[in-house]
């Protein structure tokens, strides 16, 4: 073959040296945390795939933009630049800056949600669900069934099941549904995208019932990339054209800029409706900061404006999503079961199939996470029974359908050589998989136990 090999559209200008502990040292470190991956010191981790949130590498242009930050309390040109970028890219005339995504949810939901309300969506993200349930409202999941089928290789497993959505509206009544949240890409479902076709059908149902449609937008550019690559009629459109079309269906959006904004901190709300903008401004001033900075400094807003443009370039997205696909393919080659196709930001290893001898009540995905740290210094995160927590009423453990180890890849941070180390680490465990035993919980907090739980080996 005479085609030129693929390589990333950048070179490295600054490096952050990493320390690599020995296997014996790591075994000791993870025992010191009592098998809790969150509590490891970050310097003791070689390749950190805990999250892709706020962990990306900024470009030279973003670092230069920081110097242009105007730190005025009111009327900062850095805010105007961010706002103009958002209006140009996504089409919304009004922008409310916040310090991160969950803050955007807090402000918007404070303006829109009342106790007893119902918010349909496609597997709401944890903080979204948290902010809904905290207001004594219900997050109604209408994701397609394929989303939780590990053997389904469909191209758009983040889609909404339109019949579930219609049934939900009929059951609860439009008067109780102040808005719907569509998450692009669908994080809880493995970073799986939503098709343009599905977006337009969802918007049609919402219009019929006059339900405002909000997009939870953390990975909107990754979603647009999948539309370009997988959906008929979009091959020749640019990412920005696709993004514009996606957002032509939305009434408002919340954004965690720590993902596709390629910044370490930041977020915003954007909307068409002026009255909603005014209401959000009031809550923003109470919770976040004045309407022209809302929890970000001027320099953060400059870096974000630049990051949003870089994050919607095809070449950048191709490098990013190809790297996720590369890691997925390397793991598959070993015969290790993962969710396929790989999504935009992470590879999810099926720990139930990896360790069939470990019952779900003994946390196979946590066992795999601990083992991967011990073998290769790689940190992933459990998305399984520990995360699913106990039923708030019965206090029984909720056993989720899937028991996963998530390996989330930071943007522009690691090379494919690092991905090879991750796959190699999994291979070491795979070859002696029968020898692993489960964990039992020693300490757990009453809610959100996964952050602080400690374990002992059985
Ligand atoms: C990360 C994320 C959020 C919350 O954003 P933070 O910046 O972490 O507060 C909300 N929704 C989705 C889909 C996310 O991925």
């Amino acid at each position: 073959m005479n085609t030129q090999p693929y390589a990333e559209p950048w070179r490295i200008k600054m490096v952050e040296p990493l320390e690599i502990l020995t296997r014996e040292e790591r075994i000791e470190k993870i025992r010191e945390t009592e098998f809790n991956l969150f509590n490891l010191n970050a310097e003791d981790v070689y390749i950190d795939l805990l999250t892709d949130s706020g962990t990306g590498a900024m470009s030279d242009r973003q670092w230069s933009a920081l110097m242009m930050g105007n730190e005025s309390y009111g009327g900062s040109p850095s805010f105007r630049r961010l706002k103009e970028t958002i209006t140009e890219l996504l089409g919304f005339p009004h922008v409310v800056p916040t310090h991160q995504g969950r803050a955007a949810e807090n402000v918007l939901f404070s303006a829109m949600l009342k106790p007893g309300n119902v918010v349909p969506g496609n597997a709401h993200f944890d903080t979204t669900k948290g902010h809904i349930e905290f207001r004594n409202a219900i997050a109604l999941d209408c994701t397609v069934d394929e989303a939780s089928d590990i053997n389904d290789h469909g191209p758009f497993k983040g889609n909404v099941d339109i019949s579930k959505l219609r049934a939900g509206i009929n059951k609860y009544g439009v008067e109780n549904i102040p808005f719907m949240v569509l998450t692009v890409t669908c994080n809880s479902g493995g970073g799986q995208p939503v098709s343009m076709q599905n977006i337009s059908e969802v918007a049609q149902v919402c219009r019929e019932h006059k339900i405002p449609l909000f997009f939870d937008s953390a990975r909107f550019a990754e979603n647009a990339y999948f539309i370009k690559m997988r959906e008929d009629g979009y091959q020749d459109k640019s990412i920005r054209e696709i993004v514009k079309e996606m957002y032509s269906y939305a009434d408002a959006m919340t954004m965690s800029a720590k993902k596709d904004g390629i910044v370490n901190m930041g977020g915003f709300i954007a909307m068409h409706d002026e009255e909603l903008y005014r209401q959000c401004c009031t809550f923003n001033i109470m919770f976040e900061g004045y309407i022209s900075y809302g929890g970000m400094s001027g320099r953060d807003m400059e870096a974000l404006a630049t990051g949003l443009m870089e994050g919607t370039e095809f070449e950048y997205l191709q490098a990013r999503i190809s790297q996720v696909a590369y890691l997925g393919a390397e793991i598959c080659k070993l015969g290790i079961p993962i969710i396929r196709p790989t999504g935009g930001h992470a590879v999810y290893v099926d720990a139930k199939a990896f360790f069939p001898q470990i019952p779900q009540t003994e946390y196979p995905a946590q066992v795999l996470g601990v083992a991967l740290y011990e073998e290769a210094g790689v940190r992933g995160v459990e998305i399984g029974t520990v995360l699913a927590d106990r039923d708030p009423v019965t206090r029984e453990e909720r056993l989720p359908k899937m028991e996963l180890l998530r390996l989330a890849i930071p943007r522009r941070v690691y090379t494919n050589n690092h991905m090879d180390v991750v796959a190699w680490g999994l291979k070491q465990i795979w070859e002696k998989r029968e020898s692993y035993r489960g964990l039992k919980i020693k300490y757990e907090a009453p809610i959100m136990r996964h952050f602080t739980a400690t374990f002992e080996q059985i």
Side-chain angles (χ1 to χ4, degrees):
M1 280 256 286
N2 199 22
T3 41
Q4 184 177 322
Y6 175 78
E8 290 78 2
W10 60 72
R11 55 183 176 177
I12 296 166
K13 189 176 308 212
M14 187 187 281
V15 296
E16 180 181 348
L18 299 172
E19 196 175 334
I20 310 176
L21 303 183
T22 63
R23 188 168 174 276
E24 289 65 39
E25 286 168 328
R26 288 193 297 258
I27 288 175
E28 199 170 308
K29 296 285 182 193
I30 195 70
R31 272 158 188 73
E32 282 168 19
T33 72
E34 298 183 289
F35 305 103
N36 177 311
L37 292 157
F38 290 95
N39 284 348
L40 284 168
N41 288 336
E43 319 85 271
D44 296 335
V45 176
Y46 175 33
I47 301 171
D48 203 346
L49 308 185
L50 185 66
T51 176
D52 66 323
S53 177
T55 52
M58 293 207 296
S59 67
D60 53 355
R61 278 148 233 212
Q62 286 179 288
W63 282 105
S64 321
L66 285 182
M67 294 305 295
M68 300 304 291
N70 179 307
E71 306 301 343
S72 303
Y73 194 98
S76 164
S78 301
F79 172 64
R80 290 202 303 279
R81 182 169 166 242
L82 174 61
K83 183 179 147 175
E84 280 157 19
T85 305
I86 292 166
T87 305
E88 181 193 323
L89 210 54
L90 302 156
F92 296 104
H94 303 295
V95 175
V96 180
T98 64
H99 81 275
Q100 61 184 88
R102 67 199 69 183
E105 291 162 356
N106 186 32
V107 168
L108 182 64
F109 296 179
S110 294
M112 294 288 293
L113 257 189
K114 290 188 186 55
N117 281 170
V118 176
V119 181
N122 51 339
H124 311 66
F125 183 67
D126 338 356
T127 60
T128 319
K129 197 170 179 181
H131 274 291
I132 292 169
E133 292 178 350
F134 177 71
R135 288 170 175 80
N136 293 314
I138 297 167
L140 179 69
D141 183 16
C142 303
T143 320
V144 290
D145 288 335
E146 301 95 275
S148 55
D149 180 356
I150 233 152
N151 297 314
D152 186 293
H153 297 182
F156 290 106
K157 289 167 75 176
N159 279 356
V160 170
D161 182 327
I162 299 294
S163 56
K164 283 190 200 168
L165 175 59
R166 286 194 186 279
I169 296 171
N170 286 338
K171 178 168 174 204
Y172 293 100
V174 272
E175 65 284 4
N176 294 313
I177 304 179
F179 58 89
M180 159 154 188
V181 176
L182 186 71
T183 307
V184 289
T185 58
C186 184
N187 187 352
S188 313
Q192 301 292 330
V194 181
S195 69
M196 192 73 84
Q197 169 79 29
N198 192 248
I199 293 174
S200 83
E201 286 166 11
V202 167
Q204 174 62 35
V205 175
C206 286
R207 253 198 318 270
E208 260 172 52
H209 297 92
K210 297 203 167 51
I211 297 170
L213 176 57
F214 297 170
F215 286 7
D216 182 355
S217 306
R219 299 181 184 81
F220 72 98
E222 292 174 4
N223 199 91
Y225 176 86
F226 284 118
I227 289 175
K228 182 177 168 78
M229 304 310 280
R230 294 182 184 170
E231 194 163 352
D232 282 345
Y234 290 92
Q235 278 70 11
D236 297 326
K237 296 217 158 116
S238 73
I239 295 295
R240 289 192 196 129
E241 284 168 334
I242 295 170
V243 164
K244 259 279 168 61
E245 187 176 333
M246 283 165 58
Y247 281 84
S248 70
Y249 295 107
D251 295 292
M253 66 179 285
T254 53
M255 174 81 188
S256 168
K258 300 170 72 169
K259 283 70 168 237
D260 280 358
I262 332 182
V263 289
N264 305 115
M265 190 52 77
F268 59 87
I269 313 164
M271 66 282 274
H272 287 288
D273 187 65
E274 188 162 356
E275 177 51 29
L276 178 59
Y277 169 68
R278 292 228 177 83
Q279 289 172 12
C280 286
C281 285
T282 306
F283 288 106
N284 214 55
I285 292 168
M286 280 202 293
F287 297 147
E288 290 294 292
Y290 186 59
I291 56 171
S292 60
Y293 69 86
M296 278 187 280
S297 47
R299 55 180 173 271
D300 291 341
M301 294 189 282
E302 290 283 348
L304 175 53
T306 304
L308 284 169
M309 295 312 284
E310 292 182 359
T312 49
E313 279 167 12
F314 175 75
E315 290 72 20
Y316 151 75
L317 285 163
Q318 183 183 32
R320 156 136 188 87
I321 293 176
S322 306
Q323 184 170 53
V324 177
Y326 174 82
L327 177 60
E330 289 302 303
I331 297 173
C332 275
K333 270 190 218 160
L334 302 167
I336 297 172
I338 62 167
I339 297 190
R340 285 195 292 163
T342 45
H345 67 291
V347 174
Y348 293 73
V349 184
D350 178 357
K352 238 196 240 178
F354 199 111
F355 291 133
Q357 77 276 23
I358 304 178
Q360 250 187 305
T361 49
E362 295 175 10
Y363 319 117
Q366 184 69 20
V367 173
L368 187 57
V370 168
L372 187 57
Y373 174 71
E374 290 178 347
E375 290 301 324
V378 175
R379 171 158 69 173
V381 69
E382 193 254 18
I383 308 276
T385 306
V386 183
L387 179 72
D389 223 320
R390 291 178 187 278
D391 184 284
V393 180
T394 66
R395 301 306 296 159
E396 290 291 316
E397 280 195 314
R398 299 188 272 211
L399 302 183
K401 270 193 221 152
M402 296 192 283
E403 189 72 28
L404 306 166
L405 179 70
R406 185 184 79 174
L407 305 169
I409 303 183
R411 293 165 180 77
R412 305 192 288 208
V413 170
Y414 293 113
T415 67
N416 282 4
N417 290 333
H418 291 110
M419 299 303 115
D420 289 342
V421 172
V422 178
W424 176 87
L426 284 168
K427 180 167 179 270
Q428 305 315 301
I429 306 163
W430 183 243
E431 283 170 356
K432 52 181 176 186
R433 58 190 180 279
E434 285 95 11
S435 67
Y436 286 86
R437 296 291 165 267
L439 289 166
K440 92 174 181 236
I441 287 190
K442 217 171 128 190
Y443 162 78
E444 63 184 294
I447 48 166
M448 301 228 234
R449 64 178 186 174
H450 58 290
F451 288 118
T452 52
T454 60
F455 303 85
E456 55 198 358
Q457 282 176 316
I458 294 177

